[in-house]
Structures are given as C-alpha cells and as structure tokens.
Amino acid sequence: MRLLTHIRQHHLNQKPFKCKTCNKAFASAQNLRWHKHTHTKSFKCDTCGAQFGSNYNLSRHKTSHASEKRYVCEDCGDCFSHSSNLSKHKSKGLNINLVCTECGLKFCTEYRLRAHKHQHAKETELICELCGVQYAHKSSLHKHMRNRHSSYTEAAPSHEGKLHS
C-alpha cells in the first residue's frame, strides 16, 4: 500500500482522496484522515489556549513556550524556538532600517517600533541589568531575559531588572 501511495504521489502526481471541507487532495486515505484534524482543531495548548488540528502541531507549538529560543535573527535580534520560524521571519523581506531614534534598537516592523517607542514615553521603566534594554512591563522584561540571557531564571533575583523612575 505504501508503494502505491508513493507511486501516486511522486511519480504519477495522482491525489484521488479529496477533503470535502477544503478540496485539498491527497495520495492516500491516511493522509486525508490526518488532514481532516486540521479542520477540527481539537488539540489545545494548556499554556496559552491556542488550538491545533494535530498533536504534532500542538507539540511543536509548545516548544515556543520553552525558555530557550536558540534561533536568533542577526538583523533584528528576534528569537525563535524553531529554525523554520526564523526562516519564515527572514523570508518576509523585513525592513531592518527601522531604528529607534532614542536608543538605536533596530526593528523589523513599524508595529514593533511603535510599541517600543511607547516604552520611552513611560515615567517609570524596567531596565535589564545585563544589557540595559528598557521595558514598560515586568512581563516584557522577563520574556527578554528568558530569550536573550540563557542563565536567567525567574527565581534568580540577581538578573531581574530594577524599576527606575
């Protein structure tokens, strides 16, 4: 059966099994069954509530909540838990010429630059003791610490930023 599926898919380009919901075609009934789960989204992340059509996609998503994001964009510094997400990020043709006029940080999108500029307008800010980046919200500082400084744990007070007014 696998040989027949292989021949259909790779040599004859035949995909006789069609999804009734989206009309996507597959070379085997099994692939169609796996695909159908994408329409039900019955796999829910217990951390953030995001829903997925397969356990594989849920498992892959859960790694995004992990503290270590090893794949870093050299242009803007964004961190990713999967190399494919970094590749997708880079393929967007992002404009890395967006620079904060107050601190010189670079951004890939206007949205992120605008969000960052709001931090400079705050009277009180949280500052990373390791690199000096400023944040308006404690949760943003914690996210920065987890993504940028691998030795950081939320229980380690020596790495927490201090509130400056």
Side-chain angles (χ1 to χ4, degrees):
M1 191 58 129
R2 288 183 187 184
L3 178 60
L4 179 60
T5 300
H6 171 83
I7 291 170
R8 277 187 192 147
Q9 187 171 0
H10 297 288
H11 300 286
L12 301 176
N13 200 25
Q14 291 179 347
K15 297 179 179 179
F17 301 93
K18 290 198 179 208
C19 175
K20 292 178 182 176
T21 305
C22 69
N23 288 327
K24 190 170 182 176
F26 299 90
S28 73
Q30 179 62 45
N31 288 348
L32 174 59
R33 279 193 295 277
W34 287 333
H35 165 78
K36 285 182 177 180
H37 290 289
T38 65
H39 297 299
T40 61
K41 296 195 176 193
S42 57
F43 298 89
K44 187 174 183 178
C45 176
D46 52 2
T47 303
C48 70
Q51 294 184 331
F52 299 89
S54 71
N55 194 39
Y56 170 80
N57 288 339
L58 172 61
S59 298
R60 192 172 189 285
H61 162 78
K62 283 184 174 183
T63 63
S64 72
H65 295 300
S67 60
E68 184 180 357
K69 295 188 178 184
R70 303 178 313 183
Y71 304 96
V72 181
C73 176
E74 307 85 37
D75 297 325
C76 70
D78 274 358
C79 300
F80 303 91
S81 51
H82 297 285
S83 61
S84 60
N85 292 346
L86 174 60
S87 297
K88 192 184 305 180
H89 167 79
K90 286 182 170 187
S91 72
K92 290 180 181 176
L94 300 170
N95 178 5
I96 59 160
N97 297 320
L98 301 170
V99 180
C100 176
T101 54
E102 293 197 38
C103 68
L105 282 176
K106 293 180 180 180
F107 296 89
C108 289
T109 65
E110 289 280 351
Y111 171 80
R112 289 203 175 183
L113 176 60
R114 276 194 312 274
H116 167 78
K117 283 185 174 183
H118 287 294
Q119 296 174 2
H120 290 299
K122 302 278 183 185
E123 287 184 348
T124 60
E125 298 199 24
L126 296 163
I127 300 175
C128 173
E129 291 180 339
L130 299 176
C131 68
V133 176
Q134 299 177 344
Y135 292 93
H137 304 284
K138 193 172 186 176
S139 61
S140 299
L141 175 62
H142 283 297
K143 182 178 179 184
H144 161 82
M145 296 297 289
R146 286 191 308 270
N147 291 342
R148 301 290 165 92
H149 306 294
S150 60
S151 63
Y152 171 76
T153 61
E154 289 193 35
S158 63
H159 288 117
E160 279 193 31
K162 290 187 178 175
L163 185 61
H164 295 270
S165 36

